[in-house]
Amino acid sequence: MQNLPTTYSPKDLEPRLYKKWEEGHYFHAEVPRKENGEVDYSKKAFTIVIPPPNITGQLHMGHALDNTMQDILIRWKRMQGFNTLWQPGTDHAAIATEVKVIQKIIADGHTKEELGREGFLKEAWAWKETYHNRILNQLKKLGASCDWDRTRFTMDEGLSNAVQEVFIRLYDQGLIYRGNRIINWCPVCQTSISDAETLHEEQQGHFWHIRYPYADGTGYIEVATTRPETMLGDTAIAVHPGDERYADVVGKMVILPLVNKEIPVIEDAYVDKEFGTGAVKITPAHDPNDFEVGLRHNLEQINVLTDDGHINENGGKYCGMDRYEARKQIVADLEEGGYLVRVEDMVHAVGTHDRCHSTVEPMIKPQWFVAMDKLRKPAIDVVRQDKVRFVPKRYEKMYFNWMENLHDWCISRQLWWGHRIPAYYCQECGNILVSREAPKAGCKCGKCGAENWKQDPDTLDTWFSSALWPFSTLGWPEQTPELSYFYPTDVLVTGYDIITFWVSRMIFSALEYTHDIPFKDVLIHGLVRDEQGRKMSKSLGNGIDPLEVIDQYGADALRLMLVTGNAAGNDMRFYWSKVENARNFANKMWNASRFILMNLDEELPETMDPASLEAADRWILSKCNNLAKEVTENLDKYELGVAADKLTGFLWEELCDWYIEMVKPRLYNKTPEGAPSRTAALWTLKKVLVDGLKMLHPYMPFITEEIYNYLVPEEDTIMYAPWPVYDEAMNFPAEEDEVERMKEAIRGIRNIRTQMNVTPKTKTEVIVVSADDQVRDIFARGAGFLSPLAMATRVSVQADDAGISENAVTIPIRDAKVRIPLEELVDFAAEKARLEKEKKRLEGELKRVSGKLSNQGFLAKAPANVIEEEKEKQTKYQALMAQVEESLARLG
RNA sequence: GGAAACGUAGCUCAGCUGGGAGAGCAUUCGGGUCACAUCCGAAAGGUCGCAGGUUCGAACCCUGUCGUUUCCACCA
């Protein structure tokens, strides 16, 4: 049989295999059809939509983790026989991309304005072409088995139609509206942003206490603020209704310092009596609360800021100053005018833009909003009713908290890169026309009859289109076969950091537009941090490029490393040593496979009767069989890390370190008498390796495919090989017990050899003594491998101690003892210490077990099988103890 | 202000519905064996943050407490 190359070289095999898969369209999913052409729903679908990566960047470790998890699930389900679709694509990432494109334009010596909207968009689309392909190619390096034939982009034609459709439908229902409301404004990016994009950063600031004199000269009222420059827009002072301290000043006018304008003192329940002075300056144009108060009291809204964060003409002498410069100047002027009472240091939360981290200014602007009140309830209900399940469940709380406290969603952005809002304004009367197409010539305004329309210049929040991703990619609003067959999708895999941005919006969007959930499960993962636990970030420069890891160690190693030893929803740290370990495991599999292939020089039967196999064969087959069950159960519960641990543990330890070593003498025995045993071993090796490779394939697709191609040359790929299923006929508990007994003996002997400094070259004889016929049979059967594994020159099995040297060391094992005549090698003091230690351990165990068994409560209430187990343990420990004591007695 | 998570071997983390504490790395010792030194064998290392409670039985469930982290929030 042709064998693998001597060295494992992922760099060589990974691109080659990926090319084969991709060119052969192995990842492609079709809607299955019956003979009459109807969709065949009897073939079950399994669908995942990729969280579309932004076209701004390149693959980072977070993508690597997210997509590895998805690929594991997809490949596993594909092998289970599902018709699997992993829907790929990218996101236009409105503001992030616009910023990048502007940077490029500036680097080219131009400005955005110079190019104009059309010229800018041309640049942006060129950017998209490059970076869209780049990031998808990076996903391919990772091994992602996406259906590339179906690749979508949030701004391609179909998806743009979906966006327009949703906008128009919601507008018609009154769920999208245009309003002059207070929004978060980023003065640096010069666009509105949603609440979700606003971070609250604790900052060290000041709390300025200011006197506002009463107009009638009867004194003053004291207010405090963290943003003194906003006083330029104050239109009232508010106190709590019924606050005795201010009862007689309500209704009075105060003079706004520096501005010299009279504003009223009003009452509003929003004011907290306990906080500060109990009196609040009200700036309706620059504070969300004040905005509401202003509406209730019909206060004037005075905007004092320009879009780029300077004081505007309403700011009098401060006009033209930067907001922070103005703050300084105003404080200085207040102090000079005797209005400043005192300044406190205060840590307070400042709203910042999540992209540029500059301080956001609340501003009143005409913007488009999605009304959340009707949408939120069904979205909460489906999660409460477990129709959409978060894994781990605790993230539901995050979701509920967000959904329940949601404000209307500001969806318009003052950007060019994105879906343009399909709204047209009559230039004569301001009437709004929302329409799929631009008003044609002759289209008259329904209100004033004019024909002068102008489209809204704004675009939509990037999350507005990604909210539709699970169904827009499948063709919605068209009722495509894809939509009816692959939707709702099965699981969404994403990080906890975008539950609010994306997951929540997909859920309410799907419910409203498709009348169905977008996905059944939401599998949440954490962040990949650096070795010190810090977030990987550009500014820190501590990011590790997955492509570099792939280049050095292979995608298989990276993938395995990312999912081992961590649980869903938890952050993890990136360690090079973990990658190395994963690569070492790959290398191990490579070499074990080479060894097996090397020995596979005979035609093996398709199936073998377990009765014609040896105990060791049945042991490993049974282990493998149970492993299939456990791994499948773990994957069902999205416990990817636990499943990976079990798999690698089985393959590395049980298969490589034990079974292969046990079987070597049989493989090397090419005599006619040894032939059946050799065939049995080879058959078992191949069977276990094939099953092991299959189970490993979702984790390590490349190496498993490569080995499988050598091992099963008649098949083209492992990708569609049937997933191993637990088979009761392959369950051999007796053999499992038998071999475990042998392993105990071997470990015991090795232990003694190490402690006694017995070098491998020293001859040792192993004598197994047991009064139990069956146990003697076990050791007789296993003598063939016991001898090499325990490095014994001779193994003999007997019923009693007859003929064994007095100085032989004794190793107690279940129902037997192993005696090794070491003669002069024995250090009696050390041996005695060893036995004493063992005795102490057994005493501890016995104490615990008999404590349990003498506890009436335990006997009365514990399940029968647990009690039985404890009794067996007691018997075992008692027997071992007797042996230890006997040995100690012999030593004197 | 509200909420959540974490605290287990020197380090980083697993540990499923409660029934004898695990992995990787690091450490110590031995090994050049014809699949693999990217290896093999052996060892050492933990009162599972602390205090209560529920239970026959708790790393796991409950309460409190200390410590760390994160998310959310329109109190100036």
Side-chain angles (χ1 to χ4, degrees):
Chain A
M1 201 157 192
Q2 206 193 341
N3 207 342
L4 292 158
T6 30
T7 12
Y8 165 56
S9 168
K11 237 175 154 169
D12 152 64
L13 85 234
E14 291 183 355
R16 170 166 51 81
L17 293 175
Y18 200 89
K19 197 172 167 218
K20 167 182 133 181
W21 293 330
E22 193 181 7
E23 288 180 354
H25 296 270
Y26 286 44
F27 310 142
H28 183 63
E30 270 301 331
V31 175
R33 303 282 180 173
K34 293 186 202 156
E35 281 189 10
N36 62 8
E38 286 172 13
V39 174
D40 181 2
Y41 293 97
S42 66
K43 192 161 167 26
K44 285 175 103 180
F46 182 84
T47 312
I48 296 180
V49 286
I50 200 169
N54 290 350
I55 54 166
T56 44
Q58 51 179 339
L59 196 78
H60 59 244
M61 214 40 94
H63 290 125
L65 172 65
D66 189 56
N67 289 290
T68 295
M69 290 171 75
Q70 292 173 71
D71 200 39
I72 288 168
L73 295 171
I74 278 284
R75 286 182 184 269
W76 165 55
K77 285 290 175 183
R78 194 181 283 129
M79 292 172 82
Q80 278 194 328
F82 286 84
N83 192 13
T84 50
L85 168 62
W86 187 7
Q87 170 65 53
T90 59
D91 194 302
H92 69 283
I95 190 167
T97 305
E98 181 144 335
V99 167
K100 292 264 184 184
V101 173
I102 289 170
Q103 281 168 0
K104 182 186 176 288
I105 290 170
I106 290 170
D108 291 347
H110 303 282
T111 64
K112 180 183 167 186
E113 288 69 28
E114 218 175 292
L115 293 184
R117 189 161 192 143
E118 255 182 60
F120 173 83
L121 287 177
K122 213 175 146 190
E123 284 285 336
W125 277 102
W127 173 283
K128 180 257 167 186
E129 275 316 308
T130 309
Y131 287 89
H132 167 89
N133 291 325
R134 196 173 93 162
I135 193 141
L136 295 184
N137 281 327
Q138 292 173 336
L139 282 175
K140 291 174 187 178
K141 289 216 165 82
L142 190 67
S145 61
C146 300
D147 186 352
W148 302 115
D149 301 336
R150 297 180 182 276
T151 304
R152 304 306 296 263
F153 174 59
T154 47
M155 274 171 69
D156 68 22
E157 204 189 332
L159 274 69
S160 297
N161 281 343
V163 166
Q164 206 175 56
E165 181 69 25
V166 164
F167 189 95
I168 291 165
R169 278 194 201 181
L170 290 188
Y171 179 77
D172 288 345
Q173 292 171 59
L175 293 176
I176 277 185
Y177 65 93
R178 185 171 149 92
N180 214 22
R181 300 182 59 237
I182 194 145
I183 47 92
N184 307 295
W185 181 264
C186 176
V188 173
C189 303
Q190 298 208 28
T191 179
S192 54
I193 56 172
S194 67
D195 293 344
E197 288 159 284
T198 310
L199 301 173
H200 292 87
E201 288 176 9
E202 296 262 297
Q203 286 182 10
Q204 182 59 249
H206 302 284
F207 204 35
W208 285 276
H209 292 250
I210 307 166
R211 277 193 262 258
Y212 284 27
Y214 296 117
D216 60 10
T218 55
Y220 57 83
I221 189 164
E222 186 182 321
V223 299
T225 180
T226 54
R227 296 185 299 154
E229 69 282 8
T230 61
M231 69 178 288
L232 299 173
D234 283 358
T235 50
I237 299 290
V239 298
H240 194 83
D243 188 335
E244 324 76 55
R245 291 172 294 178
Y246 300 111
D248 50 346
V249 298
V250 171
K252 272 194 179 183
M253 299 302 278
V254 297
I255 294 169
L256 184 58
L258 309 183
V259 182
N260 284 321
K261 195 175 83 176
E262 292 194 3
I263 56 173
V265 177
I266 59 168
E267 287 181 323
D268 195 282
Y270 146 72
V271 181
D272 180 354
K273 283 201 282 195
E274 310 303 318
F275 191 84
T277 60
V280 190
K281 59 190 269 310
I282 299 296
T283 320
H286 295 292
D287 183 278
N289 290 307
D290 295 6
F291 176 78
E292 298 295 330
V293 174
L295 289 183
R296 286 195 284 273
H297 298 273
N298 254 320
L299 298 175
E300 195 187 349
Q301 301 165 342
I302 301 173
N303 176 25
V304 300
L305 286 172
T306 63
D307 287 354
D308 63 353
H310 288 67
I311 303 297
N312 68 12
E313 63 285 358
N314 292 328
K317 71 177 256 208
Y318 306 99
C319 177
M321 289 177 120
D322 171 78
R323 50 183 165 160
Y324 296 115
E325 201 186 324
R327 176 178 296 178
K328 261 183 163 168
Q329 189 59 50
I330 285 170
V331 169
D333 291 349
L334 286 170
E335 192 163 14
E336 204 188 310
Y339 298 109
L340 190 65
V341 182
R342 62 195 167 95
V343 186
E344 268 180 72
D345 282 338
M346 186 158 108
V347 176
H348 62 128
V350 176
T352 62
H353 186 192
D354 66 350
R355 295 250 156 235
C356 67
H357 290 276
S358 44
T359 301
V360 164
E361 295 293 340
M363 299 250 251
I364 297 171
K365 295 254 174 196
Q367 300 287 340
W368 288 90
F369 297 87
V370 175
M372 290 310 306
D373 276 339
K374 278 185 188 139
L375 299 174
R376 97 175 74 214
K377 191 180 177 303
I380 290 170
D381 288 346
V382 289
V383 177
R384 283 216 193 283
Q385 294 158 6
D386 277 344
K387 287 176 186 160
V388 173
R389 303 180 312 167
F390 280 77
V391 180
K393 207 170 170 60
R394 64 174 185 267
Y395 284 103
E396 284 182 357
K397 287 183 181 155
M398 194 180 197
Y399 173 80
F400 290 137
N401 183 41
W402 171 258
M403 287 304 288
E404 280 159 7
N405 297 307
L406 204 50
H407 297 272
D408 283 359
W409 175 16
C410 176
I411 50 170
S412 45
R413 295 290 180 277
Q414 289 64 54
L415 300 170
W416 285 347
W417 180 238
H419 300 95
R420 190 142 176 202
I421 291 174
Y424 303 84
Y425 305 113
C426 172
Q427 295 303 290
E428 305 301 323
C429 71
N431 187 24
I432 299 174
L433 175 69
V434 167
S435 153
R436 283 179 182 78
E437 283 160 28
K440 295 202 175 75
C443 172
K444 288 188 168 57
C445 173
K447 271 192 183 158
C448 71
E451 284 181 37
N452 187 6
W453 297 100
K454 201 169 171 190
Q455 185 171 6
D456 192 313
D458 290 354
T459 51
L460 290 164
D461 183 1
T462 195
W463 298 103
F464 191 87
S465 55
S466 27
L468 318 179
W469 186 252
F471 44 95
S472 63
T473 49
L474 295 174
W476 190 93
E478 302 296 320
Q479 278 305 314
T480 59
E482 279 79 5
L483 193 64
S484 70
Y485 178 73
F486 289 113
Y487 187 83
T489 69
D490 288 274
V491 54
L492 180 87
V493 182
T494 194
Y496 58 72
D497 48 334
I498 58 171
I499 291 175
T500 51
F501 280 108
W502 193 42
V503 178
S504 61
R505 285 162 178 170
M506 281 191 285
I507 294 175
F508 70 67
S509 300
L511 291 170
E512 176 67 19
Y513 318 137
T514 70
H515 310 292
D516 207 340
I517 53 172
F519 28 73
K520 300 177 186 101
D521 295 331
V522 183
L523 176 55
I524 299 293
H525 61 250
L527 269 36
V528 185
R529 297 170 174 276
D530 74 359
E531 296 201 2
Q532 296 162 51
R534 300 174 304 182
K535 247 181 179 174
M536 288 189 185
S537 75
K538 271 184 209 144
S539 51
L540 276 175
N542 62 343
I544 288 163
D545 183 357
L547 299 168
E548 195 191 318
V549 180
I550 291 172
D551 192 54
Q552 284 187 46
Y553 292 94
D556 283 335
L558 173 62
R559 293 166 60 115
L560 183 64
M561 172 270 169
L562 284 170
V563 294
T564 39
N566 85 309
N570 290 352
D571 288 354
M572 61 173 301
R573 298 191 191 191
F574 180 94
Y575 282 99
W576 283 101
S577 64
K578 276 181 77 180
V579 184
E580 239 173 82
N581 182 251
R583 189 274 319 265
N584 292 352
F585 172 70
N587 193 56
K588 188 74 183 175
M589 287 311 294
W590 185 266
N591 284 301
S593 304
R594 270 180 57 228
F595 174 78
I596 292 169
L597 283 161
M598 187 178 85
N599 286 284
L600 273 176
D601 49 10
E602 56 177 86
E603 276 301 311
L604 294 174
E606 188 77 8
T607 55
M608 276 192 88
D609 180 0
S612 62
L613 299 172
E614 297 188 11
D617 307 335
R618 289 198 290 270
W619 162 73
I620 192 83
L621 286 166
S622 192
K623 282 276 210 187
C624 187
N625 187 37
N626 283 301
L627 177 74
K629 185 180 172 189
E630 289 185 31
V631 165
T632 306
E633 283 170 0
N634 288 131
L635 289 175
D636 273 326
K637 289 187 278 184
Y638 298 111
E639 293 165 353
L640 309 190
V642 178
D645 280 345
K646 286 179 183 168
L647 258 172
T648 54
F650 170 79
L651 291 168
W652 201 327
E653 284 151 36
E654 307 294 1
L655 178 63
C656 294
D657 294 344
W658 283 105
Y659 184 70
I660 288 182
E661 295 304 327
M662 286 175 181
V663 123
K664 275 179 178 172
R666 293 161 62 190
L667 297 180
Y668 298 151
N669 178 1
K670 296 203 180 182
T671 62
E673 305 82 67
S677 172
R678 186 170 191 273
T679 303
L682 283 174
W683 186 87
T684 307
L685 279 171
K686 184 172 175 183
K687 162 85 177 146
V688 173
L689 181 58
V690 165
D691 280 356
L693 288 172
K694 285 180 182 176
M695 288 188 266
L696 197 58
H697 178 255
Y699 291 90
M700 308 182 96
F702 294 109
I703 190 174
T704 49
E705 172 79 330
E706 181 74 352
I707 298 170
Y708 193 80
N709 289 160
Y710 279 84
L711 197 62
V712 191
E714 62 275 21
E715 282 177 33
D716 180 42
T717 178
I718 195 173
M719 272 184 57
Y720 289 89
W723 182 255
V725 177
Y726 176 81
D727 175 5
E728 187 52 45
M730 288 302 230
N731 187 32
F732 307 114
E735 280 80 356
E736 288 206 32
D737 186 65
E738 175 170 337
V739 173
E740 287 308 323
R741 198 187 289 266
M742 296 296 296
K743 283 167 71 177
E744 278 171 37
I746 291 165
R747 282 204 200 94
I749 297 165
R750 286 171 173 172
N751 186 324
I752 290 290
R753 294 182 58 105
T754 301
Q755 285 187 31
M756 303 283 166
N757 288 318
V758 180
T759 65
K761 294 188 174 67
T762 319
K763 293 183 175 182
T764 30
E765 189 183 359
V766 168
I767 306 158
V768 181
V769 181
S770 177
D772 185 322
D773 295 347
Q774 286 187 351
V775 174
R776 282 206 306 282
D777 283 349
I778 287 172
F779 281 90
R781 278 198 293 272
F785 62 82
L786 194 153
S787 139
L789 292 188
M791 290 169 288
T793 43
R794 192 173 75 88
V795 174
S796 60
V797 181
Q798 55 190 63
D800 54 36
D801 282 329
I804 301 173
S805 150
E806 279 294 308
N807 293 340
V809 171
T810 305
I811 303 160
I813 51 177
R814 267 187 294 160
D815 311 318
K817 57 192 173 186
V818 174
R819 309 231 35 207
I820 311 175
L822 286 171
E823 309 303 340
E824 70 282 359
L825 288 167
V826 179
D827 174 340
F828 285 97
E831 173 63 0
K832 198 171 171 187
R834 182 185 69 84
L835 288 167
E836 291 287 1
K837 191 181 160 196
E838 178 68 3
K839 185 179 171 186
K840 211 176 157 194
R841 185 185 73 90
L842 288 170
E843 275 169 355
E845 298 286 5
L846 274 170
K847 193 180 165 197
R848 192 186 54 75
V849 174
S850 29
K852 269 193 170 183
L853 288 172
S854 59
N855 181 332
Q856 287 307 311
F858 177 76
L859 293 174
K861 296 189 179 176
N865 64 320
V866 173
I867 295 173
E868 197 49 44
E869 277 171 30
E870 293 298 323
K871 281 185 178 163
E872 280 170 20
K873 283 178 206 163
Q874 189 181 39
T875 317
K876 185 177 100 183
Y877 291 137
Q878 279 166 347
L880 291 175
M881 182 59 107
Q883 290 187 32
V884 169
E885 278 170 347
E886 189 196 317
S887 301
L888 276 170
R890 198 166 35 228
L891 283 172

